[in-house]
Amino acid sequence: QVQLVESGGGLVQAGGSLRLSCAASGRTLSSYSMGWYRQAPGKEREFVAAITWSGGGIRYADSAKGRFTISSNSAENTVYLQMNSLKPVDTAIYYCNFVIPGTVVPVFNSWGQGTHVTVSS
């Protein structure tokens, strides 16, 4: 059984920053990468960033490059997403999931509660 709990979202003004956390428990599937996804109102869920538990294999969506930084702490089974220079278009529910290495494909079809990020203009 794997549990992923996202936290750190909130309301922030455009240009501000937030740091999201994803805590994994149970089977942590260390052979897979970890990733962040987001779903904006009325839109499909999309990939944001991914990283391996050792801190390598970092991938970003074009929308995240230069503004977001993903990191991992294998000792704490936690993955972070530092989001800077936030824009209203970043408003979404952010989710984490395991990721098939080298891809943007999530391992699990079920998703947690996510953490809400709202960026005001």
Side-chain angles (χ1 to χ4, degrees):
Q1 195 80 354
V2 174
Q3 286 188 324
L4 299 172
V5 179
E6 304 93 344
S7 63
L11 172 63
V12 64
Q13 289 188 330
S17 299
L18 284 173
R19 189 192 194 204
L20 307 184
S21 299
C22 169
S25 60
R27 292 183 62 202
T28 53
L29 305 180
S30 58
S31 61
Y32 290 98
S33 298
M34 287 295 298
W36 285 97
Y37 298 80
R38 68 185 184 184
Q39 187 167 19
K43 295 190 176 182
E44 297 288 320
R45 186 177 285 119
E46 63 178 4
F47 170 79
V48 176
I51 190 170
T52 66
W53 283 111
S54 62
I58 294 177
R59 304 165 67 92
Y60 292 105
D62 288 343
S63 59
K65 289 178 182 176
R67 299 188 300 125
F68 295 1
T69 302
I70 190 170
S71 59
S72 62
N73 185 327
S74 58
E76 297 182 353
N77 290 334
T78 302
V79 176
Y80 303 97
L81 186 68
Q82 177 68 42
M83 305 188 297
N84 298 328
S85 302
L86 282 162
K87 305 174 183 179
V89 294
D90 296 317
T91 295
I93 302 174
Y94 285 71
Y95 303 88
C96 61
N97 202 329
F98 290 90
V99 183
I100 298 173
T103 77
V104 301
V105 179
V107 172
F108 297 114
N109 292 324
S110 61
W111 299 84
Q113 296 289 326
T115 187
H116 291 244
V117 172
T118 302
V119 184
S120 63
S121 57

